[in-house]
Amino acid sequence: MSRKPKLERFKENVSAKYQIYNSIFMTLPFDGISNTGVLLPLFSEICEKGYALDKNPSEIVKKFFERYVEKDKTEAEKIDLLFRFIQYIERQVVLFDAVEDASFAIVNNMDGRGTLRNIKEEAEEKHKLEALKTYLKRFKIRPVLTAHPTQFYPGQVLGIITDLAEAIEKDDLLAIKKLLAQLGKTPFFKKEKPTPYDEAVSLIWYLENVFYHSASKIYNYIQQNIFKDEEIDNQVIDLGFWPGGDRDGNPFVTTEITLKVAERLRSTILLNYYRDIRKLKRRLTFDGVEKRLARLERMLYDNVYLRKEEGMLSLTAFEEELKAIKAVIVEKHQSLFSAEIEDLINKVKLFGYHFAMLDIRQDSRVHAGVFENIVDVMKSKGNSLFLEEYAKATPEEKVEMLTNISEVIQPEYFNEEITHSTVSSIYAMKTIQERNGERGANRYIISNNQSAVHVMEAFTMLRLCNWQQPAVDVSPLFETVPDLQAAQAVMRTLYENEAYAAHLKRRGMKQYIMLGFSDGTKDGGYLMANWSIFKAKEELTAISREYGIKVIFFDGRGGPPARGGGKTHQFYASLGNTVEDEEIQLTVQGQTISSNFGTLESCQYNLEQLLSSGISNEIFSSAKAEFSQESKETMEKLATVSYDTYVAFKKHPMFLPYLERMSTLKYYAKTNIGSRPSKRSKSKEFNFSDLRAIPFVGSWSQLKQNVPGFYGVGTALEHMEKNGEFDQVVNLYKNSAFFRTLLENSMMSLTKSFFKLTAYMKENEEFGGFWTIIFEEYERTKRMLLKLTGYQELMENQKAGKASIHAREKIVLPLLTIQQYALRKIQELQKDPNANEEELKTFEKMVTRSLFGNINASRNSA
């Protein structure tokens, strides 16, 4: 490990290498025209100089054509050149990703702060090894992979990134050149939307090739070095999975797809075990074990390749057989290769026959309609579920009515498609548990959960599906600020309900509660969303402890700070002891999967950071309580002012028109990157509540105005300054790791903003005033954050991270210029009654194509 500072390691191993390989890439005539690679650096230079001189994107593109493109070129040829630039820039982003992946272990200290080795050494030094062992016997992390579309790379491009990273690591110039040429020829643009099954298959690639090895390596280290080979009755790392199970707003997820995804997860883990058994067979060639291994090999081969079920051992029997083989090796063969067989035993413990735990999720509004339909259909069959009319009952009466119910329903009872699919999805969970084990699908999440009725309806539907004692955890998802505020009262009602309390007892007195960041940020602004979640966690921890229930929080963190992401491990290490910390569970999606878990090194490093954040919060944290009363009051004031500021901004008459007409929002649906529709309802009307968080946040990102990550923060800080209360904010910043982490993430959003790109909008008659409001809040937030932190520049304490952001921003600046140029052309053409329809379509295609590279370049936002 180099002793040089992280920034120096980044410059030498990422920046310098990228420049070398990019110069090779630029000489490759992959589009049959050699001058694209020559002209792009010139265009980049014109962009940088142009913005420095306050030129707008149209002026910059015009100047470039005047200076470097022959006068006799037609408009069509010029447009063609801009499309080729887009192609090159997309691939430059891929190249940068590959160089960064290849250098991960050099730039990040794999034995440094937050790694398991570091944690173990700190525990030994502070005489806390026993406390660490006790904690690891019950503590778990569960990253949950979701297919939410923030990643534009098709599967084949992900494969090229992996191969490129390997070739760069070995400095294999010939292989690098070939792979760059392959990259140039490989299409990025998806002509058809992926199905939920396609999304699942692309994410299972990470499970099979990365998590399988990294998670088991961590588990082996814990067992061998912390527990000294003593058996641990805890997986420590679970993996969660949403594609194929997440029905919320996705009409394309069917029961057939859910079952197909579960089967693919099962066959993939069996295939991985089969490969490992084959390797073991080459080593364990001894009497008493050779034939036993051959039998396991045949069993797995028959199941994976021939789909033969007979002879398939149960999971328990499979694990016992591996342990028996290990016992023979230890007793009769001097423990030769026992570590290798132990590795496989640990993998079977971690991944079972399910590989990852498939969650089922549906919106409470859908459940409400489905439940009323169930009541009506059963009534028409002469089998009334309730004596009174359910639809007219009060919430309290509904909870009471739902408590005692013992009927059985079948999917075929229902003609209504949504009812049929909701009921059959529950029967699918039972089938998956029979095939893959209980951990295969044992959680039902209710999004947009606002009341105890919503939980009880889902719980009742489980019981109605011939499952009186469901082996399923019912998890409400509280998303918006009002929902978070009501969460404590909702859970009290449930904990006091006899049927639900009995269910919790059977489930080990554990209650899973999901808290969603993205819609919270979209609705309530950055500070209030995060503070509301923290307060809700404190309240839910207190009430759960009151009833003897262990609450386990599951965070919809996503990736970019604007969606509640940011430096994840810092966030969890900052929560203090008033928030239950039995497990850390969070969603990981899109470019955050490839950036944080895309290679063996980055996956191991980030899983260890996540583990250590829980450990340091519990074992090494000296703080008795994270927030003093004064700190809470300060935080409350800041959040309230920030919230009021954001809500007023959201209600501005230009808010929706600006997003609709000046941003790329409506182009997200055309990118074919995800199976879900880009908004919740089918209406043509542009409605804020229908907007999904990802296109919402992404549109601000494309404008380089990362509003959801900072808007309201500056005004809140300035309010305290003007009221003579800034010292309280300074104390909060000094004493609260939680607050510091929030502001660091906000700084990242500011660092990725670039208002010169859209400065032309301030002259716009309709939107000029609105653009100015955003820009002034950006300037205000930047000024106040620098004052509070004492920094001279944003992200001063994260120099390597900032260098990575700047390198990526430099790559995509020409891309954003082309995008804005095309948007301006569209606006001109839409005003012209004689506009050419084909020309309009061309520029719309240009905007859509330019979305890809910019989003992929934002991968370092987790």
Side-chain angles (χ1 to χ4, degrees):
M1 177 67 203
S2 167
R3 294 278 172 201
K4 290 178 180 174
K6 191 171 180 178
L7 179 61
E8 286 303 305
R9 299 198 301 271
F10 177 84
K11 283 178 178 173
E12 284 176 17
N13 295 282
V14 180
S15 300
K17 278 191 176 178
Y18 170 74
Q19 295 303 335
I20 293 164
Y21 296 131
N22 187 44
S23 61
I24 296 169
F25 175 59
M26 296 301 252
T27 62
L28 296 172
F30 66 76
D31 55 5
I33 299 159
S34 56
N35 69 344
T36 308
V38 175
L39 290 172
L40 182 53
L42 299 172
F43 181 51
S44 297
E45 193 184 344
I46 291 265
C47 290
E48 283 183 40
K49 286 181 176 172
Y51 291 119
L53 294 169
D54 296 324
K55 301 290 181 193
N56 70 45
S58 306
E59 290 168 332
I60 288 167
V61 172
K62 187 181 174 202
K63 175 143 191 196
F64 167 73
F65 284 142
E66 283 172 358
R67 185 174 290 185
Y68 293 114
V69 177
E70 296 95 329
K71 299 280 185 286
D72 59 349
K73 291 284 182 196
T74 64
E75 279 304 307
E77 286 171 318
K78 288 176 183 175
I79 285 168
D80 185 49
L81 179 62
L82 294 179
F83 272 112
R84 291 207 307 276
F85 281 166
I86 291 171
Q87 254 186 311
Y88 263 84
I89 295 162
E90 284 169 352
R91 286 153 179 81
Q92 284 180 311
V93 173
V94 172
L95 175 59
F96 194 87
D97 285 350
V99 173
E100 214 166 34
D101 285 348
S103 311
F104 188 90
I106 301 167
V107 175
N108 297 279
N109 185 349
M110 298 297 283
D111 292 324
R113 188 164 181 78
T115 63
L116 275 176
R117 183 172 172 177
N118 173 260
I119 284 283
K120 175 183 164 275
E121 286 170 0
E122 191 176 347
E124 285 172 340
E125 197 182 299
K126 294 181 176 174
H127 309 291
K128 289 193 168 183
L129 201 56
E130 282 309 308
L132 176 61
K133 283 167 74 171
T134 303
Y135 187 55
L136 282 171
K137 283 178 183 173
R138 62 182 172 85
F139 176 64
K140 279 186 189 179
I141 60 170
R142 190 195 301 189
V144 179
L145 306 189
T146 82
H148 290 170
T150 58
Q151 171 67 277
F152 289 75
Y153 293 144
Q156 56 267 40
V157 175
L158 288 172
I160 295 170
I161 294 178
T162 304
D163 296 342
L164 248 181
E166 280 177 26
I168 289 166
E169 228 171 315
K170 296 172 190 162
D171 282 322
D172 185 343
L173 270 175
L174 189 64
I176 291 165
K177 201 164 181 177
K178 278 186 173 176
L179 286 162
L180 288 173
Q182 181 192 352
L183 188 63
K185 297 271 182 195
T186 303
F188 276 42
F189 192 66
K190 294 176 180 173
K191 290 187 172 62
E192 292 174 5
K193 279 177 93 69
T195 66
Y197 184 69
D198 296 333
E199 290 172 331
V201 169
S202 67
L203 288 192
I204 288 171
W205 184 92
Y206 290 102
L207 295 179
E208 181 181 4
N209 295 288
V210 185
F211 283 94
Y212 181 73
H213 305 286
S214 298
S216 59
K217 192 174 177 183
I218 291 170
Y219 190 85
N220 292 343
Y221 181 90
I222 290 170
Q223 191 187 48
Q224 290 159 19
N225 296 283
I226 296 173
F227 284 86
K228 307 295 180 195
D229 291 324
E230 172 195 331
E231 196 163 333
I232 324 164
D233 186 25
N234 179 27
Q235 282 86 16
V236 184
I237 299 170
D238 274 330
L239 300 175
F241 205 75
W242 272 18
D246 181 12
R247 287 169 152 67
D248 179 18
N250 194 339
F252 308 112
V253 177
T254 62
T255 301
E256 184 192 5
I257 280 178
T258 302
L259 291 168
K260 204 172 158 190
V261 168
E263 198 55 36
R264 180 68 176 244
L265 285 163
R266 184 179 192 272
S267 63
T268 305
I269 193 60
L270 294 182
L271 178 61
N272 277 22
Y273 295 157
Y274 170 71
R275 289 173 184 149
D276 278 359
I277 294 257
R278 278 179 67 86
K279 285 180 201 159
L280 277 171
K281 230 180 102 191
R282 294 181 66 174
R283 296 287 164 263
L284 304 179
T285 50
F286 323 133
D287 277 349
V289 298
E290 189 184 15
K291 283 183 181 171
R292 294 174 86 163
L293 272 176
R295 198 161 56 244
L296 291 178
E297 181 194 17
R298 169 54 59 187
M299 172 192 89
L300 291 166
Y301 179 88
D302 285 353
N303 197 278
V304 172
Y305 292 106
L306 305 179
R307 298 282 183 261
K308 279 166 68 175
E309 293 294 330
E310 61 267 25
M312 190 67 197
L313 292 175
S314 71
L315 183 64
T316 308
F318 180 41
E319 201 175 332
E320 290 306 319
E321 180 63 359
L322 290 172
K323 285 178 179 173
I325 291 169
K326 185 192 170 191
V328 174
I329 292 163
V330 171
E331 288 162 26
K332 298 186 178 175
H333 303 290
Q334 291 76 46
S335 297
L336 204 54
F337 301 116
S338 68
E340 283 81 349
I341 186 102
E342 186 65 46
D343 173 57
L344 182 56
I345 292 166
N346 287 343
K347 283 169 175 165
V348 173
K349 252 187 226 169
L350 286 174
F351 309 120
Y353 283 165
H354 65 284
F355 211 160
M357 303 160 93
L358 186 64
D359 287 336
I360 306 295
R361 182 172 78 127
Q362 184 55 284
D363 191 292
S364 65
R365 289 166 290 197
V366 171
H367 283 161
V370 164
F371 203 82
E372 286 187 16
N373 185 234
I374 290 172
V375 172
D376 290 346
V377 169
M378 293 302 283
K379 203 172 188 179
S380 70
K381 288 180 177 291
N383 193 350
S384 189
L385 294 179
F386 308 115
L387 295 173
E388 308 98 299
E389 193 174 335
Y390 181 76
K392 290 182 178 172
T394 66
E396 293 75 19
E397 287 167 346
K398 282 183 177 178
V399 169
E400 188 57 40
M401 290 160 81
L402 293 165
T403 300
N404 302 302
I405 202 159
S406 57
E407 296 296 332
V408 173
I409 59 174
Q410 298 293 341
E412 55 270 23
Y413 292 0
F414 307 99
N415 296 325
E416 191 106 5
E417 190 188 341
I418 191 68
T419 308
H420 184 280
S421 67
T422 303
V423 173
S424 63
S425 72
I426 295 169
Y427 277 97
M429 291 180 88
K430 294 172 81 171
T431 304
I432 294 165
Q433 289 195 8
E434 285 159 19
R435 289 279 293 152
N436 297 10
E438 196 231 276
R439 287 163 71 211
N442 66 358
R443 178 161 62 185
Y444 198 111
I445 298 163
I446 308 137
S447 52
N448 190 42
N449 198 101
Q450 297 169 338
S451 69
V453 173
H454 290 153
V455 178
M456 287 300 290
E457 283 179 341
F459 175 50
T460 303
M461 279 191 278
L462 289 168
R463 291 180 293 151
L464 284 170
C465 293
N466 202 14
W467 212 356
Q468 267 305 303
Q469 297 189 352
V472 174
D473 298 304
V474 184
S475 174
L477 163 50
F478 300 107
E479 295 181 75
T480 65
V481 173
D483 292 352
L484 289 162
Q485 288 165 348
Q488 185 186 24
V490 169
M491 296 318 297
R492 184 183 291 279
T493 301
L494 292 168
Y495 292 159
E496 290 182 352
N497 180 278
E498 58 189 274
Y500 195 78
H503 168 70
L504 285 177
K505 200 168 184 181
R506 289 191 298 272
R507 299 299 293 163
M509 296 300 277
K510 286 186 176 180
Q511 172 65 54
Y512 292 85
I513 297 177
M514 189 175 175
L515 302 157
F517 276 53
S518 49
D519 277 345
T521 308
K522 184 189 119 200
D523 291 330
Y526 181 70
L527 273 187
M528 181 57 96
N530 283 281
W531 178 234
S532 296
I533 283 168
F534 182 85
K535 283 195 300 181
K537 281 186 175 178
E538 280 200 322
E539 289 169 359
L540 291 166
T541 297
I543 193 164
S544 299
R545 286 173 180 170
E546 189 186 318
Y547 287 88
I549 290 156
K550 184 72 75 174
V551 65
I552 293 165
F553 295 115
F554 172 26
D555 291 312
R557 285 186 66 77
R563 300 196 70 240
K567 294 298 172 194
T568 302
H569 50 274
Q570 289 174 10
F571 169 81
Y572 284 109
S574 74
L575 290 179
N577 61 1
T578 54
V579 171
E580 198 68 76
D581 59 357
E582 184 89 336
E583 292 189 29
I584 288 176
Q585 298 194 10
L586 73 161
T587 53
V588 190
Q589 67 202 35
Q591 81 272 41
T592 313
I593 298 173
S594 57
S595 62
N596 278 17
F597 304 101
T599 66
L600 293 171
E601 286 91 355
S602 64
C603 184
Q604 184 186 331
Y605 180 82
N606 284 300
L607 286 175
E608 286 191 21
Q609 292 287 325
L610 210 47
L611 269 170
S612 75
S613 64
I615 292 165
S616 59
N617 188 28
E618 172 80 10
I619 309 290
F620 303 129
S621 174
S622 54
K624 285 285 164 267
E626 185 60 33
F627 283 99
S628 65
Q629 192 52 40
E630 186 193 341
S631 290
K632 278 191 172 178
E633 285 167 12
T634 305
M635 191 71 221
E636 192 66 48
K637 281 179 195 169
L638 287 166
T640 303
V641 175
S642 172
Y643 178 71
D644 292 343
T645 307
Y646 180 79
V647 169
F649 172 65
K650 207 172 65 174
K651 286 180 178 171
H652 193 288
M654 286 296 115
F655 184 87
L656 283 177
Y658 182 80
L659 273 178
E660 190 176 12
R661 286 162 43 204
M662 304 301 277
S663 85
T664 58
L665 185 66
K666 64 185 176 193
Y667 297 93
Y668 264 79
K670 300 178 184 180
T671 56
N672 293 332
I673 54 162
S675 67
R676 281 200 315 185
S678 61
K679 60 195 193 81
R680 284 190 167 89
S681 81
K682 292 177 182 172
S683 75
K684 292 241 163 82
E685 194 74 16
F686 197 67
N687 188 313
F688 184 78
S689 61
D690 284 341
L691 273 183
R692 291 201 175 278
I694 290 167
F696 174 74
V697 168
S699 299
W700 290 112
S701 168
Q702 298 279 337
L703 283 167
K704 305 312 287 177
Q705 304 171 2
N706 292 305
V707 159
F710 72 79
Y711 201 93
V713 175
T715 298
L717 292 171
E718 190 181 70
H719 172 82
M720 299 297 276
E721 180 189 48
K722 284 176 178 171
N723 281 14
E725 297 175 303
F726 201 67
D727 283 353
Q728 292 170 21
V729 183
V730 172
N731 286 337
L732 178 64
Y733 182 76
K734 279 181 186 165
N735 298 322
S736 167
F738 173 78
F739 186 56
R740 282 197 303 278
T741 303
L742 277 190
L743 296 191
E744 282 179 12
N745 287 343
S746 200
M747 276 195 214
M748 192 190 289
S749 287
L750 293 170
T751 303
K752 291 184 175 184
S753 297
F754 181 61
F755 277 82
K756 281 183 178 288
L757 179 74
T758 56
Y760 69 87
M761 291 183 189
K762 69 181 169 200
E763 308 304 330
N764 184 293
E765 201 176 308
E766 196 174 356
F767 295 109
F770 189 72
W771 183 92
T772 303
I773 289 171
I774 300 168
F775 179 62
E776 285 173 354
E777 182 64 9
Y778 161 81
E779 291 279 285
R780 188 180 293 114
T781 306
K782 185 177 172 182
R783 177 180 75 82
M784 295 309 302
L785 285 178
L786 292 178
K787 177 178 178 176
L788 177 59
T789 56
Y791 295 164
Q792 296 304 303
E793 57 182 43
L794 295 171
M795 290 181 74
E796 197 176 286
N797 63 331
Q798 297 174 36
K799 288 190 164 63
K802 187 173 182 176
S804 176
I805 288 169
H806 278 163
R808 291 167 179 280
E809 298 294 320
K810 190 178 167 73
I811 292 168
V812 296
L813 186 63
L815 185 70
L816 292 163
T817 304
I818 292 168
Q819 184 184 89
Q820 284 295 323
Y821 168 74
L823 282 167
R824 283 168 64 91
K825 280 283 188 190
I826 291 164
Q827 286 156 15
E828 280 173 31
L829 290 166
Q830 284 171 339
K831 286 176 188 168
D832 181 1
N834 305 313
N836 181 325
E837 195 61 36
E838 283 307 306
E839 194 181 358
L840 186 65
K841 280 181 185 169
T842 300
F843 285 113
E844 286 183 336
K845 184 183 173 188
M846 192 178 280
V847 173
T848 306
R849 291 287 286 110
S850 64
L851 287 171
F852 288 50
N854 187 38
I855 283 284
N856 289 334
S858 300
R859 75 188 281 205
N860 53 355
S861 48

